[in-house]
Amino acid sequence: MNIILDTISSWPWWAWVLIVLALVAIRDVFFQKKHTISHNYPIVGHLRYWLESVGPEMRQYFVANNREELPFNRIERGWIYASAKKENNYEGFGTDRDIYEHQHIFVNNAMMPFKLKDNHPNITDKTFLPCAKVMGLHSKRRKPYRPASIINVSAMSFGSLSAKAVESLNKGVKIADAYHNTGEGGLSPYHSNGGDVIFHFGTGYFGVRDDNGNFSMEKMIKLVEDNPFVKAIEVKLSQGAKPGKGGVLPGKKITKEIAKIRGVEIGKDVLSPPNHSAFSNVPELVDFIEAIAEATGLPVGIKAAIGKLDQWEELANIMISTGKGPDFIAVDGGEGGTGAAPPSFADHVSLPWVYGFSDLYKLFKNKGLTERIVFIGSGKLGFPAKAAMAFAMGADCINVAREAMMSIGCIQAQVCHTNRCPSGVATQSKWLQNGIDPTLKSVRLAQYFKTFRKELIEITHAAGYEHPCQFKMEDIELNVDDHNLSKELNRTYMYEKDSVSFSGIQDLKECVYLGGKYKPQSQ
């Protein structure tokens, strides 16, 4: 035995390498039947699979140019990272973007920019930019709400995102006086760090479901009473990544904590069906909204990706005839988002944001309903110029998901659905989450929001306005070909945005319904 051990120990290192390669080759040729390439080309075939696995990273860092990648290119990601870290986010020597490309955005600046008067709120706070409308005021809800920020965190649930990521986002919106949408995974302790919250639920009714998986008004009332930082309720009809499709939360991902938050059983698969059980048609949806608003006193809205408009027209007609309906509508773009979805859905089902929003807003405008609804845009709008376009089209607020994730460290690895997110943002791995420091990352989210608002305010002033709600359709042009063929938004989407009632940012600051750290003057 000693002779054998001595002989083996005397073998050079390269002999061991040859032995390992020989074993791999034997396994590939005689035992492995799953992969044709590695069977036909033992050893070398594995190199092909490895190169394929690192292909996205290789293209991202070494191959693609600054403006080439999707969903967010290197320049866009760099702007978010620099803004979040309060670093220099300027660019020199002119833009490297092809300003003649299709759908490039042009903001028509005024000859004389808007001039701030003495004691204007934006002199003391260059980032103060609340929503120009109040959620629930028209419908006389008991607790109307004016978001203190026009940019906010979109629906991303605990479970989809890590605990430390959700905690960072919530602490960040508190610093930035924004709101945090819970996503449909329920209200977790990580959403309870001081930021304003919009409670969002879908067909699974997580956090407000009974033992049979149906909606529980009793649990909804208790949730609102126990958590006064919940400022509004959002009912998800569909989302951009997979409209009209349900989902399954695998039992192996349901920990004791997640089970308690979502109101489900530990270790058992949970189905989120495509349809709601609480309502099955538009009149029942309106009754459902009104019941929740009456029971909680909060504004209630809906979120949806847009496709066919017949049921939306039915909703508008009911709102006209009854005076009832949603206080806000969040329009999600078919570009998708943080939710995992089959390519057939992510690529083809529902309209991109600009098409979906323009169709929907035009419908409600023609019905004379835009004044009573707060329109929220969600679909890669987390950049000031894109936001200016959204406001010109009729949006009142912007929700961001992936942009918010990037501000706290997401690197667009695009493995959100694998539980192997390298930045710790979209994973339940405790080890990977350890790389997130919520104290630091919350400041970065807040700084991104503040930088966004500051630059949007500057663009707004350059166009001659005080608030983005004053943008008109003709203030923004989209490239079609050359300037002789470029079109203003009103000629592109064939409607004129309704003017928003606005008397000045000072009045918004003094509003008794303003969220964030701002307290009603009467208190």
Side-chain angles (χ1 to χ4, degrees):
M1 185 67 179
N2 290 335
I3 296 174
I4 296 174
L5 293 175
D6 289 341
T7 302
I8 293 175
S9 63
S10 66
W11 290 354
W13 64 267
W14 51 265
W16 287 105
V17 173
L18 291 176
I19 291 172
V20 170
L21 292 177
L23 291 174
V24 172
I26 292 171
R27 178 255 185 192
D28 286 342
V29 174
F30 296 104
F31 298 99
Q32 187 279 127
K33 303 295 184 183
K34 186 176 181 180
H35 300 289
T36 303
I37 295 297
S38 57
H39 175 273
N40 293 345
Y41 302 93
I43 301 175
V44 177
H46 291 279
L47 179 62
R48 182 261 183 195
Y49 292 115
W50 179 78
L51 289 173
E52 183 181 44
S53 69
V54 300
E57 289 80 6
M58 296 290 287
R59 291 189 293 272
Q60 179 176 359
Y61 294 108
F62 301 109
V63 179
N65 66 39
N66 287 343
R67 297 287 186 181
E68 193 173 38
E69 295 174 271
L70 291 173
F72 296 90
N73 62 49
R74 189 178 291 116
I75 293 295
E76 291 172 329
R77 297 198 313 274
W79 181 83
I80 292 173
Y81 296 147
S83 299
K85 297 174 184 178
K86 209 173 182 178
E87 295 175 350
N88 186 345
N89 63 0
Y90 285 28
E91 60 182 42
F93 212 66
T95 181
D96 65 352
R97 183 164 186 165
D98 180 5
I99 63 174
Y100 302 104
E101 69 178 346
H102 182 60
Q103 288 202 329
H104 183 77
I105 298 168
F106 297 98
V107 180
N108 290 325
N109 59 295
M111 182 180 180
M112 301 291 179
F114 179 83
K115 184 177 181 179
L116 297 177
K117 298 179 180 179
D118 294 341
N119 300 318
H120 189 280
N122 287 141
I123 291 179
T124 55
D125 183 357
K126 297 182 183 299
T127 71
F128 180 69
L129 191 58
C131 180
K133 290 181 182 176
V134 180
M135 293 179 178
L137 187 62
H138 184 277
S139 299
K140 297 181 173 59
R141 308 302 187 198
R142 295 195 301 276
K143 303 174 186 177
Y145 174 61
R146 184 194 296 274
S149 172
I150 54 87
I151 180 172
N152 303 280
V153 175
S154 191
M156 296 182 287
S157 60
F158 168 58
S160 174
L161 299 191
S162 67
K164 288 192 175 182
V166 175
E167 180 183 348
S168 299
L169 294 173
N170 193 260
K171 289 181 175 179
V173 298
K174 179 183 179 182
I175 298 170
D177 294 304
Y179 66 68
H180 186 183
N181 192 307
T182 63
E184 61 181 306
L187 182 68
S188 73
Y190 312 106
H191 291 101
S192 310
N193 288 282
D196 287 354
V197 165
I198 289 185
F199 180 76
H200 166 113
F201 65 88
T203 58
Y205 305 114
F206 298 126
V208 288
R209 59 190 267 147
D210 61 20
D211 294 338
N212 296 318
N214 297 315
F215 176 77
S216 169
M217 185 66 79
E218 181 181 351
K219 288 188 176 181
M220 173 63 80
I221 294 171
K222 180 172 173 49
L223 182 144
V224 171
E225 290 177 346
D226 292 347
N227 302 282
F229 51 83
V230 174
K231 302 297 185 181
I233 309 294
E234 182 175 271
V235 183
K236 190 191 86 168
L237 303 180
S238 58
Q239 67 185 70
K242 46 185 176 182
K245 178 177 172 58
V248 177
L249 184 65
K252 63 182 179 180
K253 295 187 69 174
I254 302 177
T255 63
K256 183 178 180 180
E257 182 180 35
I258 291 177
K260 181 180 179 181
I261 292 168
R262 297 200 176 202
V264 298
E265 295 183 41
I266 300 175
K268 184 178 180 181
D269 290 354
V270 177
L271 172 67
S272 294
N275 302 96
H276 278 267
S277 60
F279 54 87
S280 58
N281 53 47
V282 178
E284 289 178 2
L285 167 63
V286 174
D287 291 341
F288 183 63
I289 290 170
E290 293 298 322
I292 295 176
E294 178 61 30
T296 64
L298 297 180
V300 180
I302 55 180
K303 173 184 178 178
I306 308 302
K308 298 179 180 180
L309 295 176
D310 51 343
Q311 290 175 316
W312 288 103
E313 185 165 11
E314 182 182 0
L315 171 62
N317 290 334
I318 291 174
M319 293 176 68
I320 293 171
S321 62
T322 66
K324 301 176 180 180
D327 300 299
F328 61 93
I329 299 176
V331 177
D332 206 8
E335 296 89 343
T338 56
S344 54
F345 271 80
D347 295 346
H348 302 289
V349 182
S350 86
L351 295 172
W353 187 84
V354 289
Y355 301 149
F357 183 86
S358 59
D359 284 353
L360 187 73
Y361 185 91
K362 191 189 310 181
L363 188 156
F364 280 88
K365 170 192 160 50
N366 292 338
K367 301 285 186 179
L369 293 169
T370 59
E371 185 178 354
R372 60 185 283 186
I373 298 171
V374 174
F375 289 97
I376 302 172
S378 177
K380 296 177 66 177
L381 299 174
F383 305 92
K386 288 186 177 180
M389 179 192 70
F391 275 88
M393 294 176 67
D396 301 297
C397 274
I398 300 298
N399 279 359
V400 294
R402 289 169 290 183
E403 298 95 316
M405 290 168 61
M406 284 188 277
S407 75
I408 64 170
C410 166
I411 62 170
Q412 193 173 279
Q414 296 181 270
V415 292
C416 308
H417 57 297
T418 66
N419 205 36
R420 292 186 283 106
C421 170
S423 62
V425 174
T427 178
Q428 297 308 306
S429 166
K430 299 294 185 183
W431 171 259
L432 293 172
Q433 288 185 55
N434 285 336
I436 298 178
D437 178 359
T439 302
L440 170 64
K441 299 300 186 181
S442 60
V443 173
R444 291 188 177 177
L445 180 280
Q447 189 57 51
Y448 160 55
F449 275 13
K450 290 180 178 181
T451 302
F452 175 97
R453 295 195 305 241
K454 176 178 177 291
E455 292 195 11
L456 180 56
I457 289 171
E458 291 170 346
I459 289 176
T460 304
H461 291 172
Y465 301 122
E466 184 180 6
H467 190 284
C469 73
Q470 297 173 286
F471 272 114
K472 299 180 176 63
M473 299 284 278
E474 58 264 29
D475 293 320
I476 309 294
E477 292 188 29
L478 287 178
N479 246 352
V480 177
D481 192 354
D482 61 25
H483 189 64
N484 295 318
L485 294 176
S486 65
K487 289 185 177 182
E488 296 86 358
L489 289 178
N490 56 335
R491 293 198 298 129
T492 301
Y493 298 113
M494 302 303 292
Y495 71 92
E496 291 285 353
K497 167 198 165 187
D498 284 337
S499 61
V500 176
S501 178
F502 175 74
S503 55
I505 285 184
Q506 185 64 44
D507 289 342
L508 303 187
K509 188 174 183 179
E510 295 172 356
C511 175
V512 296
Y513 308 120
L514 187 60
K517 66 174 177 286
Y518 308 97
K519 300 298 181 183
Q521 301 297 306
S522 60
Q523 291 186 359

